[in-house]
Amino acid sequence: MTVTGPPLPSARGELSAAVLSALLGGRPHAVSVDGRDPYGDDLQLALYLLYELHYQGFAGVPEEREWDVGLLALRRPLERRFLQALRADVPPLSDAEQALGDLLVEPVGHDGTSVSHHLERDGELWQLREYAAVRSLYHLKEADPHAWVIPRLRGRAKAAMVAVEFDEFGAGRAEEIHAQLFADLMRDLGLETAYGHYLEAAPAEALATVNLMSLFGLHRALRGALVGHFATVEVTSSPASRRLASALRRLGAGAAAQRFYDEHVEADAVHEQVVRHEVVGGLLDDEPRLEPDIVFGVHATGLLEDRLGAHLLKAWRQQRSALRVPLS
Amino acid sequence: MPHTPERLRRVVIDPGGPLLVEGPVKVALGDGSIATSRRFMVAICTCRRSRTYPWCDTSHRRRTKRDRELP
Ligand code: FES
Ligand SMILES: [Fe+2]
Ligand SMILES: [Fe+2]
């Protein structure tokens, strides 16, 4: 039985309402996904709720329901619709070296489509707080969905993946776990650090970025996509973290807030190398047929990150909150 | 991370990027100061552009002109 854990959020439509009622003990009944927006609030929240059972669950939802066949049957059409949309919306490319190589190029000047560029140069404190609240959905379980790929890898890819994850999980020190460093950052910014606290406030675009990792992590068949996704995160993190650290400094955030991004500048400059050469390279040697999936993981991550970035910047440029529930 | 004496430490050169060395390491900076890192792998900057020298911060990356603005 789970009595603790984050509270269940409110529904955002028929699909999420059906999942919520099933989680609360109602008989699971499927709602058709036909014609539903695969990236919209309703489908993304429904999927998020079901995936969350594999992490920390929700208050009042028994732990055993993680493997409830009725709930798993609800999940399948949702994730199929999401996956089909992603497959249709990414470019049909399959060269992993090129896909990652393209990410290794930095723009010369200001990139007006990038959230970290915006926050570094023009960001205001309330936007930085919203950014941290939105990202907390992932960073408070940082590296957790990627751990699921470990038993699906072998040899070089496995050894390297575990080494990077060891770093993400604090290299043996609880206070250095990256999720803990992020909680420290949130506290510095006057945010609530409880796991799952900002789920109600998070827009669909943010839920989709986290659902992507859960989808790739939970399916062995998608291990190539998980690796491509992880490589994208590591390759893009170091320069973005430098910009975010400088935004935090400019806006006078505390030492703990700066620490999270400072650590990621240095750590991810290493992780990037290890993931590209050993995890991606190792998996390509071991299972060359997974190359198109690795590339799919790279582009699907880019697609959803771009959507989230566009959502945040559009709201902020109109001086309004990008969250569903503005921060107090 | 365990290192048996028979096992040679591997150093990887990324052409155009850092030198990858298995950690933990001490780097003598030449001005008498020493930088240390306990990470399982360490990326040592060779381009001299890093703002966290001697550690690589990806400042070595190729840059392109690309004007991207939101529609
Ligand atoms: S080699 Fe990477 S910053 Fe110098
Ligand atoms: Fe991290
Ligand atoms: Fe990392």
Side-chain angles (χ1 to χ4, degrees), chain A residues 14 32 63 90 105 127 138 179 203 229 238 241 270 293 301 313:
Chain A
E14 271 182 273
S32 168
E63 291 173 354
V90 301
V105 179
Q127 296 169 344
Y138 169 59
H229 157 78
S238 188
S241 295
V270 175
D293 270 357
T301 307
L313 291 174

Side-chain angles (χ1 to χ4, degrees), chain A residues 104-108 111-113 163 167 235 239 242 263 265-267 269-270 272-273 278 313 317, chain B residues 10 14 18 20 37 39-43 51 55-58 61-66 68-70:
Chain A
L104 289 171
V105 179
E106 280 292 300
V108 173
D111 180 353
T113 66
D167 235 17
V235 167
R242 192 187 49 67
E263 160 66 9
V265 171
E266 193 189 308
V270 175
E272 170 231 299
Q273 298 277 349
E278 300 300 315
L313 291 174
R317 290 201 171 127
Chain B
R10 201 164 71 111
D14 173 17
L20 296 159
S37 175
R39 212 174 288 288
F40 72 96
M41 184 78 83
V42 178
R51 279 171 254 201
W55 320 123
C56 165
D57 71 350
T58 71
R61 285 190 187 173
R62 219 157 28 90
R63 298 190 167 258
T64 48
K65 272 214 174 47
R66 136 181 94 147
R68 292 182 77 197
E69 277 303 329
L70 278 189

